[in-house]
Amino acid sequence: MVMTHWMRTMHDAILIGIGTALNDDPQLNTRHLPALPSGEQRRLPRPVVLDSKLRFKPDCKLLKNFREGTGRRPWIITSRGSFDPLKHRELANAGARVFITDSVDGSLSVDSILFTLRQQGIRSVMVEGGAQIINSFLRAKVAHSLVITVAPTLVGKEGVSYDAEATKKFEYLSTEKEGRDTVVVFTSAK
Ligand SMILES: NC(=O)C1=CN([C@@H]2O[C@H](COP(=O)(O)OP(=O)(O)OC[C@H]3O[C@@H](n4cnc5c(N)ncnc54)[C@H](OP(=O)(O)O)[C@@H]3O)[C@@H](O)[C@H]2O)C=CC1
Ligand SMILES: Nc1nc(O)c(N)c(N[C@@H]2O[C@H](COP(=O)(O)O)[C@@H](O)[C@H]2O)n1
């Protein structure tokens, strides 16, 4: 988890799906890292949640941290087709900024998401999960590297499965042991 927090400092935004937001109530910050000697705060990435039906909870930790001044304002990307002004107002009042984008086959379009983020000055995105989001980004062939942590836990069908075609462009780079976990890195060949 500490490695994940270091990786978060290297990106402008950390992106998750609403499944992860609802199941884990994550904070997407860098709180497990040692403080800087200057006392300055480490670079905090922008939390971004893909949520086409605005199911994001106004009392979640991301919004609580923002309201208390310990986290950046979360951005929610939602669908033009199912936009609900009441839910929008509730989330905006709780502190979220909502962006509306296009959907393709019932899912938010990865190209439109990246275009929206780029317009806001975001130049690097760490896609943290969960499985459905990772699959969408792999299928869209927009990832430059894949960092896979193998933990000694059997998860069965709950694990991330993926299309072999979607990962063809990646080349193996390195393997590192981190305590009980093994971190395997692939980079984009093209
Ligand atoms: N071990 C790890 O490193 C991590 C594990 N996780 C685990 O993953 C689990 C959640 O995974 P999962 O259930 O797959 O949910 P996801 O977090 O992947 O969210 C999926 C939901 O996001 C919405 N969505 C919007 N746009 C897209 C898109 N383009 N592609 C796919 N989904 C989109 C959809 O909901 P809607 O239609 O409502 O918009 C969809 O149901 C959690 O329980 C968490 O613990 C998560 C992160 C990291
Ligand atoms: N345990 C763990 N190890 C990793 O390497 C991970 N990337 C994750 N991912 C997700 O982190 C979230 C919780 O962390 P924060 O509270 O946001 O710091 C949660 O969504 C995990 O699924 N987890």
Side-chain angles (χ1 to χ4, degrees):
M1 205 59 206
V2 172
M3 184 199 76
T4 301
H5 280 219
W6 279 116
M7 284 170 57
R8 287 175 179 173
T9 66
M10 296 168 194
H11 297 277
D12 291 340
I14 304 298
L15 183 147
I16 60 166
I18 186 64
T20 297
L22 296 177
N23 287 349
D24 296 357
D25 196 10
Q27 302 189 56
L28 307 181
N29 57 19
T30 56
R31 68 192 179 284
H32 293 322
L33 303 183
L36 285 171
S38 62
E40 273 176 89
Q41 205 176 25
R42 285 188 189 279
R43 184 176 177 212
L44 269 182
R46 170 73 60 191
V48 177
V49 181
L50 303 187
D51 178 14
S52 60
K53 301 175 194 80
L54 291 183
R55 292 186 282 148
F56 195 59
K57 298 267 184 261
D59 60 351
C60 68
K61 286 182 188 158
L62 284 172
L63 283 167
K64 194 166 161 275
N65 287 352
F66 170 63
R67 288 193 297 266
E68 290 173 357
T70 57
R72 297 190 72 182
R73 182 189 292 278
W75 290 356
I76 313 299
I77 304 189
T78 195
S79 166
R80 198 181 308 283
S82 54
F83 184 70
D84 179 337
L86 283 180
K87 285 185 183 168
H88 177 214
R89 192 170 323 134
E90 186 187 16
L91 287 175
N93 287 341
R97 181 165 177 200
V98 178
F99 294 87
I100 301 170
T101 192
D102 298 317
S103 293
V104 177
D105 299 331
S107 275
L108 297 176
S109 149
V110 171
D111 285 345
S112 301
I113 293 161
L114 294 177
F115 181 75
T116 301
L117 293 176
R118 185 67 187 81
Q119 279 186 317
Q120 299 302 318
I122 300 289
R123 288 179 170 73
S124 70
V125 179
M126 174 168 152
V127 178
E128 202 164 298
Q132 292 182 63
I133 296 295
I134 288 171
N135 261 308
S136 285
F137 277 76
L138 285 176
R139 268 191 233 112
K141 300 195 166 118
V142 293
H144 296 113
S145 53
L146 275 181
V147 180
I148 301 169
T149 303
V150 183
T153 308
L154 301 172
V155 294
K157 280 195 283 190
E158 302 303 312
V160 178
S161 63
Y162 58 89
D163 307 334
E165 165 62 26
T167 52
K168 256 187 183 163
K169 70 169 185 171
F170 290 101
E171 282 179 356
Y172 170 74
L173 184 69
S174 64
T175 303
E176 297 277 339
K177 281 282 284 171
E178 301 277 345
R180 282 156 50 97
D181 296 348
T182 305
V183 181
V184 187
V185 180
F186 293 82
T187 57
S188 165
K190 294 170 210 136

